[in-house]
Amino acid sequence: MSLVVGVGARRGVSAREVCDLVAAVLREAGRGPKEVVALATVEAKAGEPGLVEAASLLGVPLRAHPADVLARVAVPRPSGAALAAVGTPSVAEAAALVEAARYGASGPAGGGLLVPKRKSPCGAARVTCAVAVAYGAGRLPAGGRGYTRGDAVFELRTRR
């Protein structure tokens, strides 16, 4: 199984706090970091150094989505604080679902949440994350890791 981790963060969050929460949430789901194919967030947070570094440490891309796209995704735990800060009531859950859909998960919002939004255990939580199923075992992604049609360029010649 391949997974997308959606991440919401406050300004100045450390990569360690992001990675610690991601690891804890994956453990809770009985999954490992090698199953993660991407971190996803809202465009307003795409340049946040802690998120960029966390994606690098996990060896996956950080994918950003516009707030208006994320705002259209129905989620179980919307947040007024996120809506006020970045223009969408969900970052972690919505970003995970939208990115999972890009990787070939069925449905308009991906393959569904494996783990809904969790907050970092620090006193003032600075990061949230949620995990969505991108695609199941044995299935290659529509984009991202693995073979895709766009990766293949063949010059076929007939033998004579």
Side-chain angles (χ1 to χ4, degrees), residues 137-153:
R139 184 167 170 210
L140 294 173
R145 287 189 182 169
Y147 170 82
T148 64
R149 276 187 233 141
D151 293 337
V153 177

Side-chain angles (χ1 to χ4, degrees), residues 82-139:
L83 180 60
V86 294
T88 177
S90 173
V91 175
E93 292 173 327
L97 290 167
V98 168
E99 188 63 21
R102 286 189 67 237
Y103 277 82
S106 60
L113 290 174
L114 181 64
V115 181
K117 179 174 71 177
R118 298 289 188 261
K119 296 179 182 181
S120 58
C122 301
R126 297 174 50 82
V127 63
T128 60
C129 78
V131 181
V133 177
Y135 51 94
R139 184 167 170 210

